[in-house]
Structures are given as C-alpha cells and as structure tokens.
Amino acid sequence: QGIGSPSVYHAVIVIFLEFFAWGLLTAPTLVVLHETFPKHTFLMNGLIQGVKGLLSFLSAPLIGALSDVWGRKSFLLLTVFFTCAPIPLMKISPWWYFAVISVSGVFAVTFSVVFAYVADITQEHERSMAYGLVSATFAASLVTSPAIGAYLGRAYGDSLVVVLATAIALLDICFILVAVPESLPEKMRPASWGAPISWEQADPFASLKKVGQDSIVLLICITVFLSYLPEAGQYSSFFLYLRQIMGFSSESVAAFIAVLGILSIVAQTVVLSLLMRSIGNKNTILLGLGFQILQLAWYGFGSEPWMMWAAGAVAAMSSITFPAVSALVSRTADADQQGVVQGMITGIRGLCNGLGPALYGFIFYIFHVELNELPMPESSSGANVVAQYHLQQNSIIPGPPFLFGACSVLLALLVALFIPEHTNLTVRSSNWKKHCGSHGHPHSPQAPGEAKEPLLQDTNV
C-alpha cells in the first residue's frame, strides 16, 4: 500500500534514484563505448540510442494506457527495473551491455508514468510547478553523480562504480515496492487484472493520427518533435563530444554536468514558476525555445572550451520548455486519460530519442568528426589538446549537428507562435468510453463519423 498518501515527493525520489545510478556511469560508459567501437564511435552511439528511442516510441502509448487501467505503481516498478537492467552487464560483457541498453527502450518510459502519477494527485494550477520539480530532480540527479563516478573510477576502478550503480538501482526498486502508494483512485481501476484494452490505445501511430485531427494538439506535438529532436541527439553525444573533440578530461565533463544541473534546477523551479505566473504558459514555451536556439548555435560554432561553458549556462534556461509543454498538455485531458495523453507526448519524445541520436551520429560521420584515439585519462596534455584543435581547424563549423539542431528549433518556435494564448480544452471522452465499453469486440463497427471526431474541443482555432 506504500507509506502515506501519494505525493509528488514519491515520484521525485523514484526519478532521482534511477538517474543517479545512470549518472555514476557517465565516465565509464564513454570509455567502454570507445573501447568497444574504436572506429565510428559517434555513429555506433547514435545507432544504439536510436534503437532504444524507437522502441520507447512504440511502447509508450501501451504502457500509458495500461497504467490508466491497472494503476501507476506496478508500471513504475516495471519501467525502473528494465531501464536499470543493463547496468551490471557493463563489466560482464560490453557487447551485451549495449545490446540490452537498446532493447531496454521498450520500458524506458519512466517519465510517462511519473507525469501521469503527478497528474493524478495535483490540481490543474499546481501541475506546472510539479512537472518543473520532477524535471529539476532529473537535473539534480546528475549534479554530483558523474563527478562521484569519475572520482571512484579513478581511485578504485570502474568495477566499484558499476556495483554502486547497481545497488542504487536496487534501492529504487525496493523504494517503489515498499514506500510508493498507488495514485490512481480505486474507482478508476477494474476489479481484476484481466481487463483488456483496445488496440487503438496501444498503437502509437493510431494515437498520432488522433492527434492530427485537432489543430491545437497538432501544433503542440509538432513543437515537441522539432524541439526535442536536436535535444535528444545532443544529449546522446554531447559528453562524448566534450571528451573526444573539445579535450575535456573526465573531471571537466563531470564538473560541466554538475554546473549545468544546478542551473537547470534553478531554472525549472524558481524561474519557471515566476515565468508561468508573469508571462503565461505559451510565452514561457517560446522563451525556452529561444534560449535553445542560442545554445545550439553556440555549441555548433564553439571551438574553445570556454564557449562550451557559456553555452551550457544558456542550455539551463532552455530546460523550462518541456515542463511548460507538459503543463499545457495536462490541461487537455480528463483525470482518467492522463496516462494516455502523457504517453502520447512521451511517445513523440521517444521517436525523437530514436531519430535524434541516429541523425547526430550520421551527421558527425558525414563531416568526419571522429577521433581514433581516446584523450589521455589524466588531465589533457598540451600536445593532446593541440592535436584535437588542429583536427577542428579543418572545419569552419566544429559541431555541424548542433547547427542543424538550431534550425530545427527555429522551426519549432515558428510553429509554437500559432498555439492559442488562452485555451479552455476538454477531452471528448465519448470515443474513449465507446472503446472501453466494447473491449470484448475490438472489431465492432464504429458509428459514422466517429473516427473523425477530434480528440479535443477546439474553441479558438
């Protein structure tokens, strides 16, 4: 039954422990990735993360819909367990480690379930702050964990880091089992676990077709796709880029993540709350997209380490976009459909998690941004740094994928301009209830015009 009543803090602790465990492995993963794939490291990294993201896209609506029927707690347990399953394999077999990471994408949708959990227990006016807190917790989990992992790996070896990360992942699983209460009200759940769901709820492409039938939701989803595509690619390769191309040591990468994490926490809690109250939801999204364009352009043209640090400060402000979008989307759904709606957005992000890393890896490959040797594990020697910068001087744009990302976010900003300033949307649940009422007849004929019924009422566009 869990400890106490459901609260945002339960969700926050689950997110923190999961990503703290993965944060410890930041430095060891970069080393293992290069040792396993010494040639075309960026390309292979993109393909691995791409497969994981595509599987996440395919599974997110199904898991979101199932959590609406069977409850959030069991799916929190499922997603955390399988997302952390690859951790012990890093020292056992690197090939199996990367293979299981790819396959674990089927369950790598913890954020989808967590946001639905938060939506269950918060009022509409509280959600933007709650989503900001969850996103800030993700950043907070990465403030110290990469630095701790790099220090322990240097002092005691990477095996200890893997053991510690595995222990924290197990602690997270035990916390969900013992302490996390179910957030979905009992009246919304069926009497048994045998309650079926329709294929339309589980099919990610069907949900995308339904999104396309409503103009406001379509604008929101296109904005999410165009803005998160470069962010997903950047997140998958940026630390490797800092290490191999910009000459950062393991300690410098860990410090960069820590500073970025602290600034992101401030941005997603204090700054986000002030902006939502003062300039509104839509303008907050536009401001976040503007910062993201500036950040990606700076990464793309930056050829000195100080430029990376300066752009990182701008990146923290761009982190307000997703919680602001999640708050906007949560207002469009009824209480019993939060999992489906958040699963829809998480599915689009999952699609970006597949396409973004693969696209970045391919662009790196086309522009021959590659090194055949890993930088020295000690603080980078002068000769090594000179060699790395000499490699970059052959190109006017040191980071071509980041410049492509800036163009993509610019398109997202133009699309977001058309999202109505004030929306009072309610989900049309008749379609949903008809599906729920005809679970035993998934192929029963639909009423005329039912398939074309918009998901959301549209009053302003």
Side-chain angles (χ1 to χ4, degrees), residues 41 79 82 101 128 239 247 313 395 436:
T41 310
T79 55
F82 283 102
I101 280 181
S128 61
F239 302 141
S395 172
C436 293

Side-chain angles (χ1 to χ4, degrees), residues 207-208 211-230 285-286 289 292 321 325 328-329 344-345 347-349 351-352 355 405 407-419:
S207 67
L208 292 181
V211 165
Q213 293 171 3
D214 183 271
S215 56
I216 299 177
V217 182
L218 179 62
L219 290 174
I220 294 173
C221 290
I222 292 175
T223 302
V224 170
F225 180 81
L226 291 174
S227 64
Y228 195 71
L229 183 69
I285 295 172
L286 294 177
L289 293 174
Q292 190 178 358
T321 305
V325 169
L328 186 65
V329 169
M344 199 181 295
I345 297 299
I348 292 174
R349 284 166 60 94
L351 184 61
C352 293
L355 298 177
C407 297
S408 176
V409 180
L410 179 60
L411 292 176
L413 180 65
L414 296 176
V415 172
L417 287 171
F418 292 95
I419 299 174

